Amino acid sequence: MSSTADPAQTLASPGHDQTQAPTSSTTAATASTAPHDASGGQPAAAAAAAAELASTKIKLLGALKTFPDFPIPGISFIDILPLFQDPVIHLALLRALELQVLESGVKPDVIVGLDARGFLFGPSLALRLNASFVPVRKRGKLPGPCVTASFEKEYGTDYFQMQVGAIERGQNVLVVDDIIATGGSAAAAGTLVKELRGNLVGYLFILEIPFLHGRNKLDGVSTTTLLETDG
């Protein structure tokens, strides 16, 4: 999904509202492990984090740019690159991703980023979470022994690889990428994590193309998109 000119850096329907309610979409979510106060509500810290996340998402949605009729007529293309062009927005993106992970209640030991756009924010997110970063790359790009998984693309089969020993047995692993489209590349990354005996705790994306139903390929693993757009 991070490869060249895939169906989205992302796309949305015409008339997309850039400032819609800031929500995230999660499936198979892990129940929160945060304690509750005597009234049954969230503790103050959790409530403050939720409010910060919501306000930050509004800021991020406002920074996205939409290009109508690209790459083909009838498609509105949402460009995520402006999120990285302004240092203030870039920091806000990293903070939002960090809060989104912490909200899940599961601390990852390893962040796995997909080639190539997962590399834009995966290492920085890993640092914020005190986790290691492991890249998934196209076949033939990594030195040493590797594990390999295939996935189908529009024009044939492609292959992802991960270095043997990059993940230790039992480590909690979160897979990240910019967009979930058909889900094939993300599923291949999940296969590699499992082959290395990692504990795949979830997938995290900035955006999603819902009508492609990519989540259906992720075997019910917790899957979250940071920003929701029409489309």
Side-chain angles (χ1 to χ4, degrees), residues 90-91 94-96 98 107 123-131:
H90 191 174
L91 283 172
L94 294 175
R95 177 58 175 163
E98 177 187 17
K107 168 69 170 63
S124 298
L125 177 60
L127 281 175
R128 296 180 77 98
L129 295 169
N130 194 31

Side-chain angles (χ1 to χ4, degrees), residues 19-43:
T19 57
Q20 69 181 72
T23 59
S24 63
S25 179
T26 306
T27 58
T30 302
S32 175
T33 58
H36 288 65
D37 60 27
S39 65
Q42 286 183 314

Side-chain angles (χ1 to χ4, degrees), residues 151-166:
F151 60 99
E152 296 303 316
K153 299 179 67 175
E154 183 178 359
Y155 300 109
T157 302
D158 209 342
Y159 299 88
F160 267 165
Q161 289 187 320
M162 189 182 297
Q163 288 175 311
V164 172

Side-chain angles (χ1 to χ4, degrees), residues 24 26 30 32 49-50 53 57 98-106:
S24 63
T26 306
T30 302
S32 175
L53 179 58
K57 288 179 180 182
E98 177 187 17
L99 289 170
Q100 194 73 69
V101 173
L102 296 176
E103 188 179 81
S104 74
V106 180

Side-chain angles (χ1 to χ4, degrees), residues 90-149:
H90 191 174
L91 283 172
L93 171 64
L94 294 175
R95 177 58 175 163
L97 290 165
E98 177 187 17
L99 289 170
Q100 194 73 69
V101 173
L102 296 176
E103 188 179 81
S104 74
V106 180
K107 168 69 170 63
D109 302 304
V110 181
I111 299 295
V112 165
L114 273 63
D115 192 340
R117 291 185 172 235
F119 302 167
L120 288 174
F121 62 93
S124 298
L125 177 60
L127 281 175
R128 296 180 77 98
L129 295 169
N130 194 31
S132 62
F133 176 77
V134 174
V136 169
R137 299 218 60 190
K138 296 293 183 65
R139 186 169 61 179
K141 299 295 185 179
L142 291 170
C146 294
V147 290
T148 305

Side-chain angles (χ1 to χ4, degrees), residues 166-177:
I167 295 173
E168 298 179 8
R169 179 187 293 267
Q171 284 188 307
N172 288 337
V173 180
L174 178 69
V175 174
V176 304
D177 202 8

Side-chain angles (χ1 to χ4, degrees), residues 6 18 47 91 96 101 146 184 194 207:
D6 53 44
Q18 301 261 7
L91 283 172
V101 173
C146 294
K194 294 173 184 177
L207 292 168

